[in-house]
Amino acid sequence: MKRFDTIVMVDWSGGNDTGPSPRKDAIWAGVNRDGLAQEPVYLRNRTVAEEWLDALLTSEQAAGRRVLAGFDFPFGYPAGFAAALTGSCDPLVLWDWFEDRIQDTPASNNRFDLAGEINQRLGNGKGPFWFNGLRRDVESLARNLDAYTNPFAQKRQSETLAKGAFTCWQMGGAGAVGGQIFTGLPVLARLRRKFDVAVWPFQPLDKAISFVEIWPSLTVGSAPENKIKDAWQVSEVSKQVAAMPHAALIEILDVVSPEEGWIFGLGFEDKLTAPPLRNDCFALPPGVHWTPVAEALQRLRDRLVPVAGIETVGLQQAMGRILARDVTAKRANPPLPNTAVDGYGFAGGRDAGTVDLPLSSGRAAAGDAPGILPADHAIRVLTGAALPQGVDTVVLQEDVVVADGRVRFAGPVRQGSNTRKAGEDVAQGQTILEAKRRIASADLALLAATGAAQIDVRKQLRVGVLSTGDELVEAGDSAEDGQIYDANRPMLLAMVAQLGHIPVDLGRAPDDRGKLRARLDAASAQVDAIITSGGASAGDEDHVSALLSEAGAMELWRIAIKPGRPLALGMWHGKPVFGVPGNPVAAMVCTLVFAGPAMGLLAGADWVAPQGFDVPAAFTKRKKAGRREYLRARVRDGQAEVFASEGSGRISGLSWAEGLVELAEPAGEVSPGDLVRFIPFGSFGI
Ligand code: AMP
Ligand code: MG
């Protein structure tokens, strides 16, 4: 499916002319052309609206621009209605049926009479339609539900899922949609005959114009006080749709419902409401030559927003996933007061001196429902048992003598000894884990203990990895002189997976702008973010940066970092592209330091600054001022060792290393024993 150039979202109205000055309850259209939002358009009645739509579709079609037009009324009825009325279950036949019969002028229309006629034919005059907005009575159309019967389902399947959606059988009244269908479908039927239109989800959207059914309340909240609700809502929806990545739109439109139709976006609300990434999200301040690492990171942190949707998974599947919402404890831990030891339970503390209590029969073990202990008795209790009523203190079994049906021990004993209070670990309703957290194995214990079984997590980010360079061949293939094996791609794909995303292998692209463009085009429809390696600099063969700048969507980030030449960051069809350098060492370091945290934000995680540790150096190093340096390092015997060579093509050193030593920007000299910051690879999430 091709991209849409123009998005038009229409809030329809079944009412009569609303006058020349903009008001609510009229027809409103929200238009977004090439991603630019237009002022909402006020259409005072349906004749005006039809003329306006006709003019818009004429000009867009003439200009070869694809249009997605949404209308806020059902395109179909509950199953069986169309066939009962028209003899065909094709909803488009029903559209024409209405178009034949509805007489509509700005001042009045026959929708209530037609509803009554249908009731007469299909429901013995008692349904399926109801509500009469006229002063005069209409035969077979009741004003209320007193004697109502409906031979069809009350709601379409989609309406049962869309919370708050109205039934299409109610012909009027606040929020009702029945009248809009009667007066809207005839207009759409005419437009459909005149223009090159496909209707969703009944037809494949391969025409110049697509009609979809919308329900703005699905994804748009209430309007600000100074705005007209209908006007505001349609412009918000059109913005949401325009901002959505094309791939997400394709996913949303992939619906099978040939008779009843469907509400656009239902089931994908999170995709519509996700704040979009701005095309300028990688823009740098003008004039700055070398950006410090911290500032580059801050910029990513400020601008990137989650693009991943939300799904509900079972407890075990939640491992490693990112929480989409805060989780509160359904149940306290422990749920009831219980004993922390094996021993004897009784009520109240005791002063110094011998305590002698009659032993009650029975015992309380873990899993037993708490019983009742008579006053001034003791009872045998086992670790984990809920305390019987009348027990708040436990004495260890090693500290008592049991004989002749009595328990004796020496005081003093503090009240509450050896017991755990209900909720002392977690209270019911307490937030146990916060949104944006990556779920660890211990979290599963906490979630399970407090009663969580289904967890709302972010869908995993799909990250494409592409290698660029004419010199590259695939591992295992024969390599000619001048060729080298593609080392970055296997490494980067594995890193993506370790970071919790879904790696998508985009293969290799030659140093050819056209081919690279085609690859990025295809990839951007398939993934949420792209990592390319190679060609990121500003040389003749640096096609990644050339292409992204050509598209006006790239920034070459000259970051004061070693290893790592410029990082090319850009947006390609709404998808962020991280163009890391080709040298494997620089490719890995730039991915760890920049792409990793950035992808975390896109995936809905918190910004994670990798935790480092100050350890004594086992090496000597003289460093120049101006750049932050990362050395391949590992810790042995409590000291940081660094790899013998700093060459950025030395792949063996990457494999040798277990982390990086980070040296700050100022010039400096490191001698053995000096403290240096060591960041284990694990801190970066790999
Ligand atoms: P570039 O950033 O494209 O100028 O590449 C810098 C260096 O990294 C060159 O020596 C490339 O041959 C090498 N290189 C680029 N991509 C890869 C790769 N995928 N695997 C191994 N080396 C690469
Ligand atoms: Mg290259």
Side-chain angles (χ1 to χ4, degrees):
M1 189 184 72
K2 290 221 235 33
R3 273 161 220 285
F4 294 102
D5 306 296
T6 303
I7 312 289
V8 192
M9 293 290 151
V10 182
D11 185 300
W12 201 249
S13 165
N16 296 332
D17 186 73
T18 41
S21 56
R23 308 179 195 209
K24 71 184 182 79
D25 298 331
I27 299 172
W28 283 94
V31 181
N32 197 295
R33 215 178 246 107
D34 295 324
L36 292 177
Q38 323 274 308
E39 275 299 301
V41 183
Y42 172 68
L43 301 162
R44 59 185 283 186
N45 63 51
R46 284 180 295 280
T47 311
V48 170
E50 187 168 349
E51 282 164 6
W52 179 83
L53 281 163
D54 192 306
L56 177 103
L57 297 180
T58 304
S59 64
E60 298 296 311
Q61 195 170 295
R65 301 166 53 77
R66 274 173 57 79
V67 178
L68 180 74
F71 300 88
D72 73 330
F73 50 82
F75 282 7
Y77 280 88
F81 175 73
L85 198 60
T86 69
S88 162
C89 54
D90 180 353
L92 297 175
V93 173
L94 185 67
W95 288 28
D96 290 336
W97 190 95
F98 277 116
E99 206 260 322
D100 275 348
R101 286 160 183 84
I102 281 286
Q103 287 142 23
D104 196 3
T105 72
S108 71
N109 62 69
N110 64 340
R111 68 183 193 270
F112 296 112
D113 296 285
L114 186 59
E117 282 167 38
I118 297 174
N119 280 357
Q120 190 67 46
R121 265 184 60 186
L122 302 183
N124 296 322
K126 295 186 183 321
F129 294 103
W130 69 280
F131 191 98
N132 175 3
L134 303 175
R135 265 197 217 127
R136 67 174 163 84
D137 286 337
V138 172
E139 200 194 336
S140 298
L141 184 66
R143 292 190 182 271
N144 55 45
L145 289 168
D146 289 348
Y148 179 75
T149 59
N150 181 0
F152 307 101
Q154 268 308 96
K155 286 187 172 184
R156 298 180 298 156
Q157 198 201 338
S158 54
E159 284 150 4
T160 62
L161 298 172
K163 220 164 134 202
F166 267 63
T167 156
C168 52
W169 306 121
Q170 187 183 336
M171 291 301 292
V177 71
Q180 296 185 44
I181 311 177
F182 275 47
T183 55
L185 290 183
V187 173
L188 299 195
R190 283 191 289 276
L191 292 172
R192 191 169 87 80
R193 281 205 293 274
K194 177 162 176 187
F195 296 96
D196 185 29
V197 173
V199 181
W200 178 83
F202 312 130
Q203 300 175 315
L205 301 188
D206 52 5
K207 303 279 176 64
I209 300 161
S210 300
F211 284 173
V212 298
E213 171 188 335
I214 60 164
W215 186 45
S217 303
L218 188 67
T219 53
V220 176
S222 44
E225 256 170 43
N226 56 343
K227 303 273 185 195
I228 295 176
K229 176 184 162 222
D230 303 335
W232 185 79
Q233 282 202 328
V234 287
S235 62
E236 285 304 299
V237 182
S238 64
K239 270 189 238 165
Q240 286 179 346
V241 176
M244 210 167 32
H246 188 61
L249 194 55
I250 290 178
E251 204 182 322
I252 288 186
L253 291 170
D254 184 14
V255 164
V256 179
S257 182
E259 184 176 353
E260 293 190 342
W262 197 256
I263 298 166
F264 172 83
L266 180 63
F268 299 95
E269 292 81 349
D270 51 291
K271 285 212 185 310
L272 276 156
T273 50
L277 292 181
R278 297 165 51 104
N279 249 348
D280 63 355
C281 68
F282 294 127
L284 285 172
V288 175
H289 196 52
W290 289 99
T291 307
V293 174
E295 190 186 328
L297 290 173
Q298 190 60 44
R299 285 189 171 265
L300 292 175
R301 190 173 181 177
D302 289 345
R303 308 231 185 116
L304 295 176
V305 294
V307 298
I310 293 171
E311 63 183 346
T312 305
V313 298
L315 188 68
Q316 209 63 45
Q317 286 69 48
M319 177 61 202
R321 304 291 296 274
I322 294 158
L323 270 182
R325 304 181 220 288
D326 292 356
V327 181
T328 53
K330 286 201 175 65
R331 195 175 199 226
N333 184 50
L336 291 173
N338 66 30
T339 169
V341 298
D342 291 345
Y344 294 84
F346 48 93
R350 291 291 188 281
D351 294 333
T354 300
V355 183
D356 183 347
L357 292 170
L359 181 61
S360 169
S361 64
R363 53 166 215 171
D368 291 348
I372 301 174
L373 180 69
D376 295 320
H377 279 66
I379 185 169
R380 175 86 173 122
V381 293
L382 297 169
T383 307
L387 297 182
Q389 207 178 307
V391 175
D392 61 9
T393 305
V394 172
V395 62
L396 272 172
Q397 66 183 24
E398 292 84 342
D399 295 341
V400 307
V401 175
V402 181
D404 311 326
R406 301 193 71 88
V407 179
R408 291 188 192 86
F409 54 91
V413 177
R414 205 174 24 84
Q415 183 173 28
S417 292
N418 297 314
T419 65
R420 306 170 178 136
K421 292 190 193 59
E424 72 175 21
D425 178 28
V426 179
Q428 188 184 1
Q430 182 185 329
T431 300
I432 49 168
L433 295 170
E434 286 183 17
K436 302 188 176 188
R437 176 186 176 88
R438 191 177 289 283
I439 296 178
S441 42
D443 296 344
L444 299 187
L446 180 59
L447 288 162
T450 52
Q454 298 288 312
I455 326 282
D456 289 343
V457 296
R458 291 284 177 176
K459 289 185 182 160
Q460 281 172 290
L461 208 63
R462 295 170 58 83
V463 180
V465 174
L466 178 71
S467 288
T468 71
D470 284 340
E471 72 278 31
L472 302 177
V473 290
E474 196 72 7
D477 287 356
S478 64
E480 306 295 319
D481 286 351
Q483 294 187 314
I484 60 169
Y485 289 115
D486 178 0
N488 289 344
R489 209 167 92 249
M491 170 178 72
L492 295 174
L493 284 166
M495 286 170 72
V496 165
Q498 283 181 305
L499 291 168
H501 314 302
I502 298 174
V504 178
D505 189 352
L506 301 176
R508 287 174 284 113
D511 287 321
D512 173 313
R513 220 162 285 186
K515 292 199 172 118
L516 185 59
R517 176 191 292 277
R519 277 304 171 84
L520 292 180
D521 280 348
S524 62
Q526 207 193 337
V527 298
D528 302 306
I530 300 170
I531 302 177
T532 66
S533 72
S537 201
D540 294 350
E541 294 295 335
D542 288 320
H543 297 284
V544 173
S545 52
L547 195 58
L548 291 175
S549 356
E550 203 178 281
M554 204 254 337
E555 289 285 335
L556 206 54
W557 283 34
R558 282 178 229 280
I559 303 171
I561 183 173
K562 183 184 172 192
R565 283 188 303 168
L567 195 60
L569 296 180
M571 297 293 289
W572 194 262
H573 295 318
K575 303 297 169 65
V577 181
F578 303 96
V580 302
N583 276 311
V585 177
M588 182 174 178
V589 169
C590 284
T591 302
L592 286 180
V593 175
F594 298 107
M599 291 190 298
L601 289 186
L602 298 172
D606 243 337
W607 180 262
V608 191
Q611 200 59 51
F613 306 90
D614 287 346
V615 291
F619 61 93
T620 306
K621 154 100 186 164
R622 180 171 288 167
K623 178 186 168 299
K624 280 194 245 154
R627 294 191 291 195
R628 188 183 287 190
E629 289 193 23
Y630 288 95
L631 309 176
R632 281 149 282 175
R634 63 185 196 183
V635 172
R636 289 290 180 273
D637 301 325
Q639 296 194 315
E641 304 175 347
V642 295
F643 191 61
S645 162
E646 288 183 20
S648 69
R650 299 287 189 107
I651 303 176
S652 63
L654 274 185
S655 164
W656 172 91
E658 292 165 7
L660 300 173
V661 157
E662 181 186 81
L663 300 175
E665 281 77 359
E669 221 158 289
V670 179
S671 306
D674 291 350
L675 288 183
V676 289
R677 172 64 52 92
F678 174 75
I679 310 174
F681 284 143
S683 286
F684 290 101
I686 66 162

